[in-house]
Amino acid sequence: MKKISSLKYLFVVAAMSGSAVFGQEQMVKPNILFIFSDDLSYRDLSSYGQEQFRTPNLDKLAMNGIRFTQAYSGSSECAPSRGSLMTGMHMGHCRIRANSSVRGQDHLLNEDITVAELLKGAGYTTGFIGKWGIGLPGTEGAPDKQGFDFSYGYYDQARAHGFFPHYLMRNGKPEPIPENYGFNMKRVSTYNGRPVDRLDDVKNVYDENGNLVPDGVPVAAAAKYSEDLFQNEALSFIKKNRDKPFFLYYATQLPHGPCITPDLGAYKDKPWDLKHKEWAAMLGHLDRGVGRMLDLMEQLEILDNTIIFFAGDNGYSQWGYFGRPRNEDDSLFKNKGPWPKGKFTSTHEGGVRVPFFVYWKDKIKAGENDHICALYDVLATLADLASITPPKTDGISFAPILLGKPDEQETHQYLYWENGTMSRHAQSIRLNQWWAYRDHPSKPIKLYDVTEDLACKNDLAKSNPELIDRIRQIYTEAHIDSEWYVNPGESKEQISAKRDKAISMKSMQRSTGANTAYRGRTELSPAGDVLKAAPKE
């Protein structure tokens, strides 16, 4: 049984006791499905302006739900965005502040309270499927140690950058997939960053019907695409828990690169290069999976008691998979959105502004809403919807908006971001109409009115000195120093001392063979044992 701190115990007990936030109509707890897409571009859905391909099932949810037009992820990159979502903390307080700390791929601690733990304490059956990224196998940050009754997928986020793994984790244990042994990941990783006009010697191979021929595996037709496995597990979880409240966190890999898909589908004969066909097909694969979940819940007659959330995890990243200059928009799909820059840039809205919508059949009035929110509001919101008491976080529940009670909606004083990596010391805030950032505590603060200047071209800092003073104060008050991540303004010597400390404490976080697997050599089990060696180069 998991040991929990006394403070955490009090929160869990409070959740179990419950508090009817919205009165008698909330006595029946709704099922909760949270779909978290990976590296989705802002206009990758046809409901968000994509004209080259369609996403009908996601469009149905978006157009019949509330679309938040000023929604932000917790971070501009994968792992901290997930840590923020799960714990309700912004980057000044979150345990996870970058993809890697000075000691490697870091993890949540036992004392961190997750959405899953909160809902589990209130009687929900909790499930995680997909990409975790905030706790390697065997650590206290693994999903099976953080409140999930069921967990299946990639605990190690670096391993999730492939689609034919040698194993996936099921409830804390590796489950081998021998059908994928020998998959040529080295070629795929080379393909990943190549420009679209230099693919001939490394490109994925598809047959005359548009079906993938995965090279290196024993039997090509038997190879297992991880997203197919995830979608099947999601259907199984929903079926098993149809008669009780459930929370399913479906953290899909799609459409994170490298570009590769089981079949090109409707895009096989498009006059596009291969990567564009694959990107559209990957979004189609995700959309069909969501459609299967909707159909199943309709059949089980539980859709009207299931609230569905959909969000992107960070800003635009497609340039990285298509071999283009950093943050350059795609000339065909034009999916970047109007925001400047993209993934890894918390200094700009393009790194953290994301598609976000919520659907609840016959209970949520469809339309757009300009409430300024962040995905670290989700924990407080789900607590409200489940009529339970959340711990104190950086989030504010937006349940009043969902339930048609906008007059009861609280607003944020500000939203805050930072990035705890070796080379980035940036801090950003959204404060009413203002977007402010500085690249380093030693650098000047830049200020933009994003309601008038979306591209952030007109710096208004000099004409607003009192506001700049307030922003400088926020940068201080919103940040608590992290033990293992880089704090804004830390010197190289301080960072090096942190790493030396981690080494001396033997607390370096070893990835589960992900980097070597990604280069196509050997994939290791969580214990470091070779599950299967890839063919020699």
Side-chain angles (χ1 to χ4, degrees), residues 341 346-349 426-431 433-450 453 455-465 467-472 475:
K341 300 197 176 180
S346 61
T347 49
H348 289 269
E349 285 207 342
Q427 293 172 287
S428 305
I429 64 165
R430 174 71 194 267
L431 176 67
Q433 78 269 35
W434 303 104
W435 182 269
Y437 74 86
R438 62 185 182 189
D439 291 321
H440 190 279
S442 65
K443 301 291 185 180
I445 295 171
K446 298 182 179 182
L447 180 69
Y448 302 93
D449 181 348
V450 290
D453 178 23
C456 296
K457 293 182 178 180
N458 186 20
D459 184 357
L460 302 175
K462 290 183 178 179
S463 57
N464 292 276
L467 181 57
I468 292 298
D469 287 342
R470 171 61 181 142
I471 291 167
R472 189 175 290 109
Y475 285 156

Side-chain angles (χ1 to χ4, degrees), residues 154 159-168 177 179-185 187-188 204 206 212-215 217 220 222-229 253 260-263 523:
Y154 297 99
R159 289 191 66 250
H161 301 163
F163 289 87
F164 293 91
H166 293 174
Y167 69 92
L168 289 169
I177 308 174
E179 294 90 343
N180 291 347
Y181 288 175
F183 178 69
N184 190 356
M185 193 64 209
R187 178 196 56 75
V188 177
N204 299 320
Y206 296 84
L212 178 71
V213 183
D215 57 324
V217 300
K224 305 293 186 182
Y225 190 67
S226 53
E227 280 293 329
D228 286 331
L229 299 175
Q253 295 167 270
I260 190 167
T261 182
D263 67 89
E523 182 163 22

Side-chain angles (χ1 to χ4, degrees), residues 276-403:
H276 281 91
K277 295 178 183 180
E278 289 171 325
W279 188 266
M282 289 166 78
L283 266 298
H285 192 285
L286 170 59
D287 188 74
R288 289 192 300 276
V290 172
R292 292 173 67 196
M293 294 183 217
L294 294 176
D295 289 345
L296 175 62
M297 289 187 286
E298 283 275 27
Q299 294 168 16
L300 299 177
E301 299 183 345
I302 60 173
L303 184 60
D304 60 351
N305 191 43
T306 302
I307 185 166
I308 302 172
F309 295 75
F310 180 92
D313 67 335
N314 50 241
Y316 179 72
S317 68
Q318 191 190 27
W319 49 271
Y321 313 131
F322 281 60
R324 292 194 300 267
R326 190 177 182 88
N327 298 320
E328 182 180 289
D329 199 1
D330 186 78
S331 59
L332 175 63
F333 293 153
K334 295 180 172 57
N335 49 355
K336 181 177 183 291
W339 331 112
K341 300 197 176 180
K343 185 177 180 178
F344 300 122
T345 53
S346 61
T347 49
H348 289 269
E349 285 207 342
V352 288
R353 185 80 79 103
V354 294
F356 180 46
F357 51 85
V358 184
Y359 170 86
W360 197 355
K361 184 181 178 182
D362 300 330
K363 293 183 177 65
I364 284 181
K365 185 178 179 181
E368 293 186 342
N369 191 284
D370 63 0
H371 172 65
I372 298 173
C373 61
L375 296 185
Y376 54 80
D377 293 332
V378 167
L379 184 148
T381 303
L382 297 188
D384 265 2
L385 294 170
S387 299
I388 55 181
T389 304
K392 180 175 175 56
T393 67
D394 295 315
I396 293 175
S397 170
F398 51 82
I401 289 176
L402 300 181
L403 299 176

Side-chain angles (χ1 to χ4, degrees), residues 207-260:
D207 65 21
E208 65 277 8
N209 296 314
N211 297 316
L212 178 71
V213 183
D215 57 324
V217 300
V219 180
K224 305 293 186 182
Y225 190 67
S226 53
E227 280 293 329
D228 286 331
L229 299 175
F230 294 161
Q231 291 178 9
N232 289 337
E233 290 290 344
L235 297 177
S236 176
F237 180 87
I238 292 169
K239 287 178 183 176
K240 289 178 181 177
N241 297 287
R242 60 197 289 181
D243 296 324
K244 50 191 172 183
F246 65 78
F247 166 56
L248 175 56
Y249 172 41
Y250 187 82
T252 172
Q253 295 167 270
L254 296 171
H256 195 295
C259 294
I260 190 167

